[in-house]
Amino acid sequence: MPYVKEVFEYLKRSSPYQKEFYQAAEEVVESLRPLMIKYPKYRKHKIIERIVEPERQIFFRVNWVDDNGEIQVNKGYRIEFNSALGPYKGGLRFHPSVTAGVIKFLGFEQIFKNALTGLQIGGGKGGSDFDPKGKSDNEVMRFCQAFMSELFRHIGANTDVPAGDIGVGAREIGYMFGMYKKLANKYEGVLTGKSLNWGGSLARTEATGYGTVYFAKYMLEDRGESLEGKRCVVSGSGNVAIYTIEKLYHLGAIPVTCSDSNGMIYDKEGIDLKLLKELKETNRQRLTEYVKYRPNAKYTPSEEYPDGCNGVYNIECYAAFPSATQNELNLNDAKNLLDNGCFCVSEGANMPSTTEAVDLFVESKICYGPGKAANAGGVSTSQLEMAQNASMVNWTFEEVDERLAQIMKNIYVSASQTAAEFGEPTNLVLGANIAGFKKVADAMIEQGLV
Ligand code: NDP
C-alpha cells in the first residue's frame, strides 16, 4: 500500500531520529491494512495521518540543585497524544535513556492500550532523562518539585492524568503531587499511583504485573493449557516484574529468573519473592545482593551477553514475561525461547520485543500477548483510582482485583475476536491493533475535525 509508505516517509522527514517511535507506529499501521481495505472511511478522514501526530507536545527545562549545591539541568517531556476517548492518561518515565522519540513511542502505544481497556481514557506519556538511581531522597524530591513546577500548568484531573513508569513509583508520585497541590491550589486526582493514605487505590501497585499474568492465563485457557506447575522466566526486577512473580506464584507457576540492567538471577527453585521485595522495594539495592542470601541461585552479569541478548531468555521455560524495557528481547532471544519449548510470551514491558522477534512469535502461533494488550492492567487500575477519587469512595483490594481480572479478560476477548474476524485467530498483534485503532478512529470521526 503506497499510501502507508507515503505517511511514513513524511513522518521520518518531519520527526527525524525517533527510531523507537517509527518502530511502534510501523507495527500498528502495517497491521491496519485489512481494516483500511474493509472501511475506506478511515482513509477518507485521514485517520492514520492524524493519529501519528500528537495533539500537543510539551518540552521543558528542569533546573534543580544537587546535594553538593551544584545546579543540574534535565529535559522534561509531556506528550499529549490523543484525547478522542478521554483525558490524556499515561505514565512518567525517569531514566537517562529518555528522549523525545522514546516518550513518543510510549505515548503512541498508550492510545491503543487505553482504547482496548474499554475505559474513557486518551493516550499520553511523559518523563525526563533524570536518573533517580544513586540520588538521595532530598535530591529526588527537589527534582520532582522542579519537574512539576512546569508540568502543573498542563495537567488536571479532567485534562491529563499522569502516573508512574520506569523510575517513577509511589515516592516520586508523592513529591510531584505535593508540588501540584501547592501550585494549583487544588486537591484532586491529577496523578495516579498515589499512596493509600491519601487517594491511592488498593491493587494499583500490583496491577500491571497481575494483569500480565491474567492475560497469559486467558490466552492459555483458550488453548486448553494453564500455568500451573510451569517454569516461567521474568525479566526486570521493578514494579511490573515483582508483581508478575507474585501472581505467577498465586497460580501455581514457578518463576525462576529476574534481572536488572547489570545482570540476571537464575534461581532454579523459584525466585524468593520476599527477599526480592526487600532488596528492591525496601532497600533499593542491586540484584548482586540476592545471591548473598540464596547461595544456590546464580548471578550472571549483562556483559556475558555482548550481542544484546538478555540471559533470561536462554533459560528453559514454558512461559516468558518480559518486564524490563523496550527492545530487550531480540530475534536470538525469541529463537532460544522457542527452541527451549516456550509456548507463551506475555509482555509486561512496553515494546520489549524487537520487530523481528514479534514476527517470529506471531509466525510460530504460540500464545503471544503484545504489551499494549497484556500490560494494560496498570492503566486500567489507574482509571479505577480516578473513579474512586471522583466519587470519594474506596474499594477493597478484592473488588479492584476482580475488576482488573475482568478488564484483562475483556481485552483478550476483544483482541482475539478481532484477530479471528480478520482471518488470523492467533495473531493478537493484529487483533489488538485493529480493535484499539477502530475505537479511537470512530471517536475521532464522530467528534469532527478538531
Ligand atoms: P521500574 O523502574 O520499577 O523497573 C524497571 C526494571 O527494568 C528494573 O529492574 C530495571 O533495572 C530494568 N531496566 C530498565 N531499563 C533497563 C535496561 N535498559 N536494560 C535492562 N534492564 C532495564 O519500572 P516498571 O516495572 O514500572 O516498568 C517496567 C516496564 O513495564 C517498562 O517498559 C514500563 O513502560 C512498563 N509498564 C509499566 C507499567 C506500570 O504500571 N509501572 C504499566 C505498563 C507498562 P535497573 O534497576 O538496573 O534500571
Side-chain angles (χ1 to χ4, degrees):
M1 197 195 268
Y3 158 62
V4 168
K5 261 205 154 111
E6 262 169 45
V7 175
F8 269 101
E9 293 298 306
Y10 172 73
L11 207 61
K12 286 180 179 169
R13 268 202 321 275
S14 61
S15 306
Y17 308 111
Q18 299 190 337
K19 62 181 170 36
E20 292 89 356
F21 173 55
Y22 309 146
Q23 183 185 340
E26 213 147 2
E27 182 209 285
V28 171
V29 174
E30 281 295 327
S31 55
L32 296 176
R33 284 172 194 268
L35 184 80
M36 303 302 282
I37 292 166
K38 192 166 173 186
Y39 300 104
K41 65 174 176 179
Y42 297 129
R43 184 164 176 187
K44 181 172 159 251
H45 286 274
K46 296 225 157 92
I47 297 297
I48 291 189
E49 290 90 327
R50 287 160 63 191
I51 216 164
V52 296
E53 259 336 301
E55 288 173 11
R56 191 177 299 113
Q57 306 189 62
I58 302 145
F59 297 168
F60 52 101
R61 186 184 66 191
V62 189
N63 301 322
W64 58 284
V65 178
D66 69 18
D67 285 348
N68 297 322
E70 239 180 80
I71 294 172
Q72 300 289 338
V73 184
N74 285 100
K75 290 181 192 297
Y77 305 89
R78 185 72 186 165
I79 298 195
E80 298 181 332
F81 225 119
N82 191 296
S83 61
L85 295 180
Y88 308 104
K89 182 94 198 87
L92 296 170
R93 177 176 290 192
F94 292 170
H95 193 272
S97 64
V98 162
T99 60
V102 166
I103 298 298
K104 217 163 150 186
F105 114 69
L106 289 163
F108 185 72
E109 291 279 290
Q110 197 80 45
I111 304 171
F112 307 100
K113 181 190 307 193
N114 293 2
L116 280 169
T117 66
L119 305 168
Q120 295 307 120
I121 36 183
K125 199 84 187 186
S128 171
D129 59 355
F130 170 76
D131 187 359
K133 239 177 275 158
K135 303 287 190 302
S136 72
D137 242 14
N138 273 332
E139 287 178 320
V140 170
M141 181 180 75
R142 285 196 294 274
F143 174 79
C144 288
Q145 292 178 338
F147 183 82
M148 190 49 84
S149 72
E150 172 58 35
L151 189 67
F152 87 98
R153 68 191 87 245
H154 307 289
I155 60 177
N158 297 312
T159 317
D160 182 354
V161 186
D165 191 77
I166 291 180
V168 178
R171 174 182 60 168
E172 291 75 17
I173 293 286
Y175 292 147
M176 285 191 277
F177 184 84
M179 196 60 178
Y180 176 85
K181 185 186 66 170
K182 187 180 169 80
L183 294 173
N185 197 25
K186 277 186 202 153
Y187 201 111
E188 58 174 4
V190 68
L191 291 164
T192 56
K194 300 186 287 297
S195 162
L196 292 176
N197 289 333
W198 44 271
S201 171
L202 285 160
R204 173 60 189 94
T205 306
E206 293 82 356
T208 307
Y210 278 22
T212 305
V213 180
Y214 287 139
F215 197 84
K217 175 178 175 261
Y218 298 130
M219 286 194 290
L220 289 165
E221 271 176 10
D222 235 7
R223 311 262 194 120
E225 296 269 332
S226 94
L227 285 165
E228 202 178 340
K230 306 283 177 30
R231 284 162 58 85
C232 301
V233 297
V234 178
S235 67
S237 51
N239 171 263
V240 178
I242 288 174
Y243 292 96
T244 294
I245 291 172
E246 183 163 289
K247 185 49 76 180
L248 284 171
Y249 276 127
H250 291 172
L251 299 190
I254 310 151
V256 292
T257 65
C258 61
S259 66
D260 61 21
S261 44
N262 302 120
M264 74 115 166
I265 294 287
Y266 174 39
D267 193 337
K268 250 197 332 238
E269 290 146 35
I271 293 292
D272 182 335
L273 182 60
K274 190 161 168 268
L275 172 61
L276 183 66
K277 282 187 177 181
E278 199 173 303
L279 294 178
K280 286 295 178 181
E281 292 186 326
T282 314
N283 302 335
R284 297 179 187 274
Q285 284 172 300
R286 306 302 295 162
L287 277 181
T288 37
E289 298 298 307
Y290 184 95
V291 283
K292 292 187 183 158
Y293 303 90
R294 296 274 289 183
N296 289 340
K298 187 168 179 254
Y299 178 80
T300 311
S302 309
E303 299 90 72
E304 290 195 19
Y305 297 95
D307 63 347
C309 288
N310 187 332
V312 163
Y313 305 114
N314 291 0
I315 306 289
E316 208 175 296
C317 67
Y318 173 80
F321 295 84
S323 312
T325 193
Q326 64 270 10
N327 292 327
E328 57 163 296
L329 193 166
N330 64 23
L331 183 59
N332 267 344
D333 296 321
K335 283 182 181 159
N336 282 339
L337 284 171
L338 296 178
D339 288 347
N340 285 330
C342 178
F343 182 63
C344 172
V345 177
S346 190
E347 295 182 340
N350 282 308
M351 206 170 74
S353 307
T354 61
T355 307
E356 298 76 25
V358 172
D359 290 346
L360 186 62
F361 290 144
V362 170
E363 247 170 61
S364 68
K365 297 191 166 34
I366 60 163
C367 293
Y368 170 63
K372 67 170 71 68
N375 72 33
V379 73
S380 305
T381 310
S382 276
Q383 200 274 356
L384 301 181
E385 184 175 327
M386 289 161 75
Q388 291 171 79
N389 291 163
S391 56
M392 294 187 174
V393 295
N394 294 316
W395 299 331
T396 64
F397 189 98
E398 289 69 29
E399 274 176 294
V400 179
D401 191 32
E402 227 168 82
R403 285 174 201 248
L404 166 66
Q406 188 56 50
I407 291 170
M408 296 315 294
K409 182 153 206 175
N410 296 345
I411 295 173
Y412 171 67
V413 169
S414 156
S416 63
Q417 281 181 351
T418 308
E421 185 191 333
F422 285 89
E424 296 189 45
T426 59
N427 186 348
L428 297 184
V429 175
L430 180 94
N433 285 338
I434 290 185
F437 175 87
K438 201 167 174 306
K439 205 151 186 250
V440 182
D442 289 340
M444 286 170 74
I445 292 171
E446 283 159 17
Q447 290 171 18
L449 194 60
V450 288

